[in-house]
Amino acid sequence: MLTKARIAVLVSGGGTNLQALLDAQTAGAIPHGEIVLVISNNPEAFALERAKRAGVEALTVTKKDCGGTEAFETALLAALEERKIDLIILAGFMSILSARFTDRYPRRILNVHPALIPSFCGKGMYGLRVHRAALDYGVKVTGATVHFVNEIPDGGRIIAQKAVEVLPGDTPETLQRRVMEQAEWILLPRAAEQVCEEIVKEKENEP
Ligand code: GAR
């Protein structure tokens, strides 16, 4: 196979989902794609270290340095276009992207959300907050969702979901870990491969 989809992963924190993608790539589970860029909006993100260890180019782009949301998105778009990125994966990226950004990559941006959308999602629902909300509500089953990203936070078409049990005595931290292990780290690399294969087919059919 000659062509591979060029993947950029956008991160903000620990980067365990990035790690799952890198490990899947090493294991040959993403044959139609290649992670060529990691961008963090947080200079302290451990995800940057993971990218470095894997020999993947890593950039930090912050709203603060750019002087606002519009300039931040312009800088992101420039970095992505310069490297001819085909697929953007939001893996714990804690910044909402505007329509101006998402319209440039229809069905070419993926996000992993740590709940079963449409539960516990939307603006303000991210990271541990999602698990805290699930525990406060008292649900007995939660999970993770991988979906396409459009201008509505967590509103794009769903690609994959997996349910995970909530156990008695769970804290937001224990639940987060179980959802990652049993759902996110499995679903995200799979969905990435699925979309990369689509992209490669499309490229091969180009005149
Ligand atoms: C993950 O649980 C991810 O689903 C969630 O943040 C965590 C990041 O962990 N993302 C969101 O809540 C986005 N709405 P990681 O940095 O270790 O991958």
Side-chain angles (χ1 to χ4, degrees), residues 151-172:
E151 72 288 357
I152 302 157
D154 299 323
R157 196 171 70 76
I158 290 171
I159 301 169
Q161 287 189 307
K162 191 163 186 284
V164 174
E165 232 187 320
V166 179
L167 297 180
D170 260 339
T171 62

mmCIF file of all heavy atoms in Angstrom, residues 151-172:
data_model
loop_
_atom_site.group_PDB
_atom_site.id
_atom_site.type_symbol
_atom_site.label_atom_id
_atom_site.label_comp_id
_atom_site.label_asym_id
_atom_site.label_seq_id
_atom_site.Cartn_x
_atom_site.Cartn_y
_atom_site.Cartn_z
ATOM 1 N N GLU A 151 -19.654 21.655 14.389
ATOM 2 C CA GLU A 151 -19.633 22.904 15.174
ATOM 3 C C GLU A 151 -20.376 22.780 16.500
ATOM 4 O O GLU A 151 -20.271 23.645 17.354
ATOM 5 C CB GLU A 151 -20.177 24.076 14.324
ATOM 6 C CG GLU A 151 -21.672 24.069 14.053
ATOM 7 C CD GLU A 151 -22.133 22.995 13.053
ATOM 8 O OE1 GLU A 151 -21.289 22.261 12.508
ATOM 9 O OE2 GLU A 151 -23.354 22.897 12.851
ATOM 10 N N ILE A 152 -21.128 21.686 16.685
ATOM 11 C CA ILE A 152 -21.864 21.492 17.940
ATOM 12 C C ILE A 152 -21.021 20.627 18.882
ATOM 13 O O ILE A 152 -20.646 19.506 18.500
ATOM 14 C CB ILE A 152 -23.224 20.800 17.681
ATOM 15 C CG1 ILE A 152 -24.052 21.632 16.708
ATOM 16 C CG2 ILE A 152 -23.982 20.542 18.983
ATOM 17 C CD1 ILE A 152 -25.102 20.837 15.966
ATOM 18 N N PRO A 153 -20.685 21.123 20.092
ATOM 19 C CA PRO A 153 -19.847 20.321 20.991
ATOM 20 C C PRO A 153 -20.457 18.930 21.242
ATOM 21 O O PRO A 153 -21.607 18.836 21.670
ATOM 22 C CB PRO A 153 -19.789 21.153 22.276
ATOM 23 C CG PRO A 153 -20.074 22.551 21.832
ATOM 24 C CD PRO A 153 -21.001 22.449 20.658
ATOM 25 N N ASP A 154 -19.712 17.896 20.896
ATOM 26 C CA ASP A 154 -20.127 16.488 21.033
ATOM 27 C C ASP A 154 -21.365 16.171 20.194
ATOM 28 O O ASP A 154 -22.105 15.222 20.507
ATOM 29 C CB ASP A 154 -20.380 16.119 22.515
ATOM 30 C CG ASP A 154 -19.125 16.274 23.368
ATOM 31 O OD1 ASP A 154 -18.036 15.979 22.862
ATOM 32 O OD2 ASP A 154 -19.248 16.700 24.525
ATOM 33 N N GLY A 155 -21.590 16.947 19.123
ATOM 34 C CA GLY A 155 -22.831 16.804 18.351
ATOM 35 C C GLY A 155 -22.695 16.099 17.016
ATOM 36 O O GLY A 155 -23.700 15.862 16.339
ATOM 37 N N GLY A 156 -21.482 15.737 16.609
ATOM 38 C CA GLY A 156 -21.302 15.118 15.289
ATOM 39 C C GLY A 156 -21.709 13.655 15.280
ATOM 40 O O GLY A 156 -21.923 13.046 16.333
ATOM 41 N N ARG A 157 -21.785 13.070 14.084
ATOM 42 C CA ARG A 157 -22.283 11.700 13.937
ATOM 43 C C ARG A 157 -21.436 10.701 14.733
ATOM 44 O O ARG A 157 -20.203 10.766 14.731
ATOM 45 C CB ARG A 157 -22.293 11.301 12.445
ATOM 46 C CG ARG A 157 -23.137 10.061 12.165
ATOM 47 C CD ARG A 157 -23.304 9.835 10.679
ATOM 48 N NE ARG A 157 -22.065 9.423 10.020
ATOM 49 C CZ ARG A 157 -21.543 8.204 10.095
ATOM 50 N NH1 ARG A 157 -22.145 7.261 10.802
ATOM 51 N NH2 ARG A 157 -20.413 7.916 9.462
ATOM 52 N N ILE A 158 -22.112 9.785 15.383
ATOM 53 C CA ILE A 158 -21.432 8.789 16.212
ATOM 54 C C ILE A 158 -20.832 7.694 15.338
ATOM 55 O O ILE A 158 -21.495 7.171 14.437
ATOM 56 C CB ILE A 158 -22.417 8.204 17.250
ATOM 57 C CG1 ILE A 158 -22.753 9.266 18.300
ATOM 58 C CG2 ILE A 158 -21.842 6.955 17.921
ATOM 59 C CD1 ILE A 158 -23.870 8.891 19.252
ATOM 60 N N ILE A 159 -19.582 7.336 15.616
ATOM 61 C CA ILE A 159 -18.911 6.255 14.883
ATOM 62 C C ILE A 159 -18.939 4.968 15.712
ATOM 63 O O ILE A 159 -19.183 3.894 15.178
ATOM 64 C CB ILE A 159 -17.447 6.638 14.576
ATOM 65 C CG1 ILE A 159 -17.411 7.924 13.744
ATOM 66 C CG2 ILE A 159 -16.715 5.503 13.861
ATOM 67 C CD1 ILE A 159 -16.032 8.512 13.615
ATOM 68 N N ALA A 160 -18.634 5.076 17.007
ATOM 69 C CA ALA A 160 -18.578 3.869 17.834
ATOM 70 C C ALA A 160 -18.873 4.214 19.290
ATOM 71 O O ALA A 160 -18.548 5.314 19.759
ATOM 72 C CB ALA A 160 -17.196 3.232 17.739
ATOM 73 N N GLN A 161 -19.486 3.267 19.980
ATOM 74 C CA GLN A 161 -19.741 3.430 21.414
ATOM 75 C C GLN A 161 -19.511 2.108 22.121
ATOM 76 O O GLN A 161 -19.713 1.047 21.528
ATOM 77 C CB GLN A 161 -21.205 3.850 21.667
ATOM 78 C CG GLN A 161 -21.471 5.274 21.281
ATOM 79 C CD GLN A 161 -22.830 5.765 21.720
ATOM 80 O OE1 GLN A 161 -23.840 5.127 21.411
ATOM 81 N NE2 GLN A 161 -22.867 6.896 22.401
ATOM 82 N N LYS A 162 -19.121 2.195 23.391
ATOM 83 C CA LYS A 162 -18.976 0.972 24.174
ATOM 84 C C LYS A 162 -19.424 1.273 25.604
ATOM 85 O O LYS A 162 -19.042 2.294 26.177
ATOM 86 C CB LYS A 162 -17.518 0.507 24.150
ATOM 87 C CG LYS A 162 -17.306 -0.880 24.713
ATOM 88 C CD LYS A 162 -15.948 -1.445 24.291
ATOM 89 C CE LYS A 162 -15.791 -2.881 24.733
ATOM 90 N NZ LYS A 162 -15.513 -2.994 26.171
ATOM 91 N N ALA A 163 -20.232 0.368 26.143
ATOM 92 C CA ALA A 163 -20.752 0.542 27.498
ATOM 93 C C ALA A 163 -19.761 0.002 28.518
ATOM 94 O O ALA A 163 -19.050 -0.975 28.260
ATOM 95 C CB ALA A 163 -22.083 -0.178 27.631
ATOM 96 N N VAL A 164 -19.728 0.661 29.679
ATOM 97 C CA VAL A 164 -18.861 0.239 30.791
ATOM 98 C C VAL A 164 -19.687 0.320 32.069
ATOM 99 O O VAL A 164 -20.419 1.297 32.296
ATOM 100 C CB VAL A 164 -17.621 1.166 30.898
ATOM 101 C CG1 VAL A 164 -16.787 0.832 32.131
ATOM 102 C CG2 VAL A 164 -16.772 1.074 29.636
ATOM 103 N N GLU A 165 -19.550 -0.701 32.905
ATOM 104 C CA GLU A 165 -20.314 -0.753 34.148
ATOM 105 C C GLU A 165 -19.807 0.251 35.187
ATOM 106 O O GLU A 165 -18.594 0.410 35.329
ATOM 107 C CB GLU A 165 -20.148 -2.161 34.732
ATOM 108 C CG GLU A 165 -21.451 -2.834 35.055
ATOM 109 C CD GLU A 165 -21.210 -4.143 35.786
ATOM 110 O OE1 GLU A 165 -20.261 -4.859 35.412
ATOM 111 O OE2 GLU A 165 -21.958 -4.414 36.723
ATOM 112 N N VAL A 166 -20.737 0.881 35.904
ATOM 113 C CA VAL A 166 -20.369 1.683 37.075
ATOM 114 C C VAL A 166 -20.452 0.734 38.274
ATOM 115 O O VAL A 166 -21.421 -0.013 38.398
ATOM 116 C CB VAL A 166 -21.358 2.861 37.277
ATOM 117 C CG1 VAL A 166 -20.977 3.674 38.508
ATOM 118 C CG2 VAL A 166 -21.400 3.741 36.026
ATOM 119 N N LEU A 167 -19.423 0.745 39.117
ATOM 120 C CA LEU A 167 -19.408 -0.195 40.246
ATOM 121 C C LEU A 167 -19.616 0.535 41.567
ATOM 122 O O LEU A 167 -19.268 1.724 41.692
ATOM 123 C CB LEU A 167 -18.071 -0.947 40.270
ATOM 124 C CG LEU A 167 -17.792 -1.835 39.052
ATOM 125 C CD1 LEU A 167 -16.434 -2.516 39.191
ATOM 126 C CD2 LEU A 167 -18.898 -2.868 38.848
ATOM 127 N N PRO A 168 -20.187 -0.172 42.547
ATOM 128 C CA PRO A 168 -20.387 0.465 43.861
ATOM 129 C C PRO A 168 -19.041 0.962 44.397
ATOM 130 O O PRO A 168 -18.033 0.277 44.246
ATOM 131 C CB PRO A 168 -20.915 -0.685 44.738
ATOM 132 C CG PRO A 168 -21.380 -1.749 43.804
ATOM 133 C CD PRO A 168 -20.622 -1.588 42.528
ATOM 134 N N GLY A 169 -19.057 2.143 44.976
ATOM 135 C CA GLY A 169 -17.829 2.690 45.551
ATOM 136 C C GLY A 169 -16.952 3.414 44.536
ATOM 137 O O GLY A 169 -15.878 3.914 44.891
ATOM 138 N N ASP A 170 -17.393 3.492 43.275
ATOM 139 C CA ASP A 170 -16.595 4.203 42.260
ATOM 140 C C ASP A 170 -16.398 5.668 42.633
ATOM 141 O O ASP A 170 -17.307 6.315 43.164
ATOM 142 C CB ASP A 170 -17.308 4.150 40.893
ATOM 143 C CG ASP A 170 -16.722 3.081 39.976
ATOM 144 O OD1 ASP A 170 -15.564 2.675 40.206
ATOM 145 O OD2 ASP A 170 -17.423 2.662 39.040
ATOM 146 N N THR A 171 -15.234 6.185 42.343
ATOM 147 C CA THR A 171 -14.976 7.625 42.416
ATOM 148 C C THR A 171 -14.827 8.091 40.963
ATOM 149 O O THR A 171 -14.655 7.243 40.070
ATOM 150 C CB THR A 171 -13.658 7.898 43.162
ATOM 151 O OG1 THR A 171 -12.584 7.298 42.405
ATOM 152 C CG2 THR A 171 -13.669 7.327 44.584
ATOM 153 N N PRO A 172 -14.865 9.411 40.733
ATOM 154 C CA PRO A 172 -14.655 9.870 39.351
ATOM 155 C C PRO A 172 -13.355 9.292 38.773
ATOM 156 O O PRO A 172 -13.303 8.906 37.604
ATOM 157 C CB PRO A 172 -14.581 11.391 39.493
ATOM 158 C CG PRO A 172 -15.406 11.692 40.706
ATOM 159 C CD PRO A 172 -15.190 10.536 41.637
#
